[in-house]
Amino acid sequence: MPRDTAERTRLADAMDQRRIELGLRWEHIAEKARISTTHLRKFRRGDAGISSVVEAALEDALQWEHGSMATIRDGGEPTPVAESSRRDPNKTLAEMLLERGLARPEELTAADEIRNDPVAWEILEAEDLTMAGRERMLKAYAHMRRETFEAAREHKRGSRA
């Protein structure tokens, strides 16, 4: 994207506005999109381009429908992904954590394999929290589940002895 174009400015402004709406820092967005903060900064300034794969990853990180960045460059408005449209009853807590960059695969346990966890969905759909707040709560909830699961497992082992 050329450095000083109206399209670049429009896109950079929309990305910044969305980042603020979601309560995220640029570092968090770069991490979710799996790019460096340096590359993201260069892209936003117009000093670097990105591939279509990275653009889609940035749209995911900003919770926009795919194609939103092109729409912004063309003068339109981005389409936020609706929370309710992302609810998937087959999704595990582990998948929710991984897709949001809140856990690494090696950190997951059997406690994270519950499907359609109503508490996890309630946290993700809490409209009175920023997205960053929701994600912090989801991570804390997963930690609590792991500890409870492990305590129950230990108790069960102890009662067998």
Side-chain angles (χ1 to χ4, degrees):
M1 179 175 6
R3 183 173 170 93
D4 290 319
T5 65
E7 294 86 7
R8 188 220 43 94
T9 302
R10 188 170 31 256
L11 181 57
D13 289 348
M15 289 174 68
D16 197 41
Q17 181 179 349
R18 184 63 171 165
R19 175 192 65 81
I20 292 166
E21 286 172 11
L22 296 172
L24 300 174
R25 295 186 353 233
W26 285 118
E27 293 82 9
H28 194 168
I29 291 169
E31 181 180 315
K32 286 181 166 206
R34 293 179 166 73
I35 62 172
S36 71
T37 54
T38 301
H39 189 78
L40 178 57
R41 185 174 28 261
K42 287 180 180 180
F43 169 69
R44 290 180 26 248
R45 282 193 322 236
D47 294 337
I50 57 171
S51 68
S52 59
V53 171
V54 172
E55 183 166 295
L58 280 171
E59 288 169 332
D60 288 341
L62 292 165
Q63 298 176 30
W64 282 337
E65 294 286 344
H66 288 185
S68 287
M69 292 175 91
T71 300
I72 294 166
R73 285 191 294 269
D74 291 340
E77 295 295 320
T79 304
V81 174
E83 282 289 334
S84 60
S85 71
R86 289 187 288 181
R87 187 176 255 216
D88 178 354
N90 293 316
K91 192 170 282 188
T92 64
L93 178 58
E95 292 167 328
M96 292 179 198
L97 294 166
L98 289 172
E99 73 185 16
R100 288 168 176 78
L102 301 175
R104 294 186 305 272
E106 62 270 14
E107 297 171 332
L108 300 173
T109 69
D112 301 319
E113 293 304 319
I114 186 170
R115 293 195 182 278
N116 199 22
D117 184 334
V119 175
W121 285 113
E122 186 174 337
I123 290 168
L124 290 175
E125 294 173 347
E127 293 181 11
D128 57 333
L129 295 173
T130 64
M131 182 51 66
R134 291 178 209 164
E135 290 182 346
R136 279 192 302 274
M137 281 190 72
L138 185 65
K139 192 171 182 175
Y141 171 66
H143 179 74
M144 181 212 56
R145 280 193 55 79
R146 289 178 196 133
E147 286 187 349
T148 304
F149 187 83
E150 191 55 39
R153 180 184 280 171
E154 289 298 318
H155 178 71
K156 193 173 188 178
R157 282 186 197 139
S159 65
R160 286 187 202 160

